Amino acid sequence: MKMICAIIKPFKLDDVRTALARAGIHGMTVSEVKGFGRQKGHTELYRGAEYSVDFLPKIKLEIAAHSDQVEWIIDAIMEAAHTGKIGDGKLFVYDLQQSVRIRTGERDMEAI
């Protein structure tokens, strides 16, 4: 089992969700997060005062999947989240040791 973590631009969430649904993925965790990388921050004007926004809003997706599904999940996210501009995001894949469905006690792939 693998855990796929994707950091994407907020306005791309619906496109990514649709692409994942087409690929057969119907469960994920979505979090609103803030961060920065090469995109860095930017300055904004508020009531005549200029201030720096160092952390930009992003969306974090977490998807637990079978190891065989990882490549086409990555492809679906990359295609849907791509704008070609800085700040498109990142994907991380790591091993998932165990999963348990609390309600039924199912484990591992049955719990996903």
Side-chain angles (χ1 to χ4, degrees):
M1 294 181 301
K2 300 288 184 181
M3 179 65 78
I4 301 162
C5 174
I7 309 296
I8 62 171
K9 291 182 175 184
F11 69 90
K12 284 300 204 170
L13 177 59
D14 286 336
D15 294 340
V16 170
R17 187 185 54 76
T18 300
L20 288 170
R22 272 190 259 119
I25 300 298
H26 300 288
M28 71 184 87
T29 300
V30 178
S31 305
E32 292 180 2
V33 296
K34 292 184 179 191
F36 73 94
R38 288 186 185 168
Q39 190 177 12
K40 304 213 179 1
H42 62 276
T43 58
E44 289 188 5
L45 198 61
Y46 179 73
R47 293 189 178 181
E50 191 173 285
Y51 67 98
S52 176
V53 177
D54 293 327
F55 294 99
L56 301 173
K58 299 288 182 180
I59 295 292
K60 179 180 179 181
L61 305 175
E62 294 172 296
I63 304 162
H66 190 280
S67 299
D68 296 342
Q69 299 172 311
V70 171
E71 286 307 314
W72 49 267
I73 291 172
I74 289 173
D75 291 343
I77 294 171
M78 285 181 58
E79 183 178 323
H82 182 264
T83 67
K85 297 187 173 136
I86 195 164
D88 271 355
K90 294 259 191 320
L91 284 161
F92 305 98
V93 179
Y94 46 94
D95 289 326
L96 182 58
Q97 297 278 329
Q98 186 177 27
S99 65
V100 179
R101 185 184 312 268
I102 294 172
R103 179 177 56 87
T104 63
E106 294 170 298
R107 293 180 178 267
D108 300 326
M109 284 309 300
E110 289 79 28
I112 295 176

